[in-house]
Amino acid sequence: MSLVTDSPVHSSSSDDFAAFLDTELDSKSSASSASDDEAPNQRHSDSAASSSPDQDKEAEEDDDSDFQSKRVKRSKVETVEIVEDDGGATSFASVKHNSEASISKEICTHPGSFGTMCIVCGQLLDGESGVTFGYIHKGLRLGNDEIVRLRNTDMKNLLRHKKLYLILDLDHTLLNSTQLMHMTLDEEYLNGRTDSLQDVSKGSLFMLSSMQMMTKLRPFVRTFLKEASQMFEMYIYTMGDRAYALEMAKLLDPGREYFNAKVISRDDGTQRHQKGLDVVLGQESAVLILDDTENAWMKHKDNLILMERYHFFASSCHQFGFNCKSLSEQKTDESESEGALASILKVLTKIHQIFFEEVEENMDGRDVRQVLKTVRKDVLKGCKIVFSRVFPTQSQADNHHLWRMAEQLGASCSTELDPSVTHVVSKDSGTEKSHWALKHNKFLVQPGWIEAANYFWQRQPEENFSVNQIKN
């Protein structure tokens, strides 16, 4: 069953799946619940044509068995083919099943189900297989072969429009939320500064009384979503529950231009406390992920762009053990033009450009994960780093996360000093290696210099991360 459209605006299988299934099931449900006074041929006729003898016969059989009626309704969810018009866009075309049930059973491979009923032929199925896609349509489960087919079709579809997939985390990536009960005295002023929920497209701070929550959108997020949507088919993927995910989607995308049905919550995942691309109808080789939590994507770290966390509210700082004033308590915020989202948009644009440059005909073998590695390695290219008292002496230096991070960013790391060393990373200016750096006019920087480069995907000014020198 082909369930993909080729709209350059909404080209994702999941959006079309939801819309198509809603329309088909609603129309069948409406037809079956028509007035008893209505003639059988009217009850089962197409809107554009009168009934046939075969349809009259089908109506009589439906009247004989309520169960059979429900089954026929589901079996009428018609197979869909892709039809391409002269302009290159594709649309749904309905192809009815053969009227002979025996033929239908022979050819149906049961690509998916609602509960225990095949979405194509209506047959009751034993057991469960495949993956549940409840965020697309409640009760929908797709078989592995159908998932592969849909991904392949949608991939070709997107590549023709020079688009990739972008998975977006919510909390600390696109926004920050807090329970009202957790707000501090220094944050009480925010109660008088919230924006109207009547037109959320013009606001950034919202009071959600029904959820006893306040939400702050990250600066630049609306521009980010608008520009990213030109390059990517976007999903929301959060560890929050479904009700929260949908409420946040309304704030971020009130016109349903970007996400539509593509909102995945923890209720939709297949592993507890983990996020996975198994519930995304996109090829892994074309997926990028923005998230502030690396450990949430243990199987997909090569797709991940780690985001600097957005701590607007005090409760967010406390959650991660920071004993400092939050942005709200300081009555400030991230920069629109130089903040995390503005920086990452530049990275995404560069990755997209490299992925599609000079490749017009054959996209086979292209992998965005390789492009991601290439772009990342340019950040600290040409830097040679020696660490001083950053990690325990007995530990394996090249296993430390800062060492690995620096190498992923293109730097080379060493335990020994030599003239080719460009940076000494330390928290203490009194170490022997720190003295050497100062004596030989090398950069002496704090570990945060590497972390900042990792978050912003560009080498940061060393003077902003200088190590305080001990005064004699």
Side-chain angles (χ1 to χ4, degrees), residues 111-129:
S113 63
F114 283 115
T116 59
M117 184 177 290
C118 176
I119 59 177
V120 174
C121 70
Q123 180 178 328
L124 292 178
L125 307 176
D126 295 328
E128 292 184 343
S129 63

Side-chain angles (χ1 to χ4, degrees), residues 112-355:
S113 63
F114 283 115
T116 59
M117 184 177 290
C118 176
I119 59 177
V120 174
C121 70
Q123 180 178 328
L124 292 178
L125 307 176
D126 295 328
E128 292 184 343
S129 63
V131 179
T132 299
F133 287 82
Y135 70 94
I136 296 177
H137 203 288
K138 186 176 181 181
L140 175 65
R141 179 178 285 271
L142 295 177
N144 294 328
D145 289 344
E146 181 65 3
I147 292 171
V148 170
R149 195 190 64 76
L150 284 170
R151 284 176 174 162
N152 289 338
T153 305
D154 204 41
M155 179 74 168
K156 294 175 183 177
N157 214 7
L158 281 188
L159 292 180
R160 280 200 300 270
H161 291 95
K162 294 192 174 181
K163 277 191 169 187
L164 298 169
Y165 301 94
L166 182 63
I167 313 300
L168 297 168
D169 174 52
L170 286 177
D171 295 284
H172 306 108
T173 297
L174 298 183
L175 50 82
N176 192 203
S177 295
T178 186
Q179 294 291 326
L180 298 181
M181 62 184 294
H182 293 151
M183 294 182 69
T184 65
L185 291 176
D186 289 340
E187 292 177 315
E188 286 189 351
Y189 75 96
L190 294 173
N191 291 320
R193 296 192 178 183
T194 56
D195 297 304
S196 172
L197 291 172
Q198 299 302 311
D199 185 5
V200 299
S201 63
K202 297 180 179 179
S204 64
L205 181 65
F206 303 100
M207 175 79 74
L208 304 172
S209 300
S210 62
M211 305 179 76
Q212 287 295 294
M213 179 182 293
M214 186 177 288
T215 294
K216 174 67 173 62
L217 303 188
R218 197 167 198 165
F220 196 72
V221 68
R222 299 203 186 280
T223 302
F224 173 88
L225 293 176
K226 181 178 180 181
E227 296 192 19
S229 69
Q230 304 302 309
M231 300 178 285
F232 299 92
E233 194 67 31
M234 300 188 297
Y235 286 72
I236 285 174
Y237 200 148
T238 176
M239 293 301 275
D241 62 29
R242 183 142 191 83
Y244 175 74
L246 292 175
E247 200 64 35
M248 296 303 102
K250 290 178 185 177
L251 299 180
L252 292 166
D253 185 20
R256 294 172 65 88
E257 300 174 70
Y258 310 129
F259 305 113
N260 205 358
K262 304 187 296 294
V263 179
I264 305 172
S265 68
R266 69 180 180 214
D267 307 322
D268 304 304
T270 57
Q271 297 183 62
R272 188 173 177 81
H273 304 309
Q274 279 290 300
K275 296 179 179 181
L277 295 180
D278 51 347
V279 293
V280 175
L281 288 177
Q283 295 275 23
E284 290 185 24
S285 61
V287 173
L288 292 175
I289 302 165
L290 293 190
D291 203 314
D292 67 285
T293 307
E294 184 177 17
N295 289 337
W297 295 95
M298 296 301 290
K299 294 182 178 180
H300 306 288
K301 288 186 177 182
D302 289 343
N303 301 81
L304 177 66
I305 295 176
L306 191 63
M307 292 292 295
E308 182 183 24
R309 289 192 172 109
Y310 181 48
H311 297 297
F312 184 77
F313 295 109
S315 62
S316 180
C317 292
H318 299 158
Q319 176 186 349
F320 290 93
F322 296 126
N323 186 23
C324 60
K325 291 282 188 179
S326 67
L327 291 170
S328 61
E329 291 176 310
Q330 298 177 57
K331 298 185 177 181
T332 186
D333 207 346
E334 281 187 357
S335 167
E336 280 270 350
S337 59
E338 299 178 3
L341 289 178
S343 297
I344 291 301
L345 181 62
K346 295 175 184 176
V347 175
L348 293 175
T349 302
K350 185 175 182 179
I351 293 172
H352 181 273
Q353 180 182 353
I354 294 174
F355 186 92

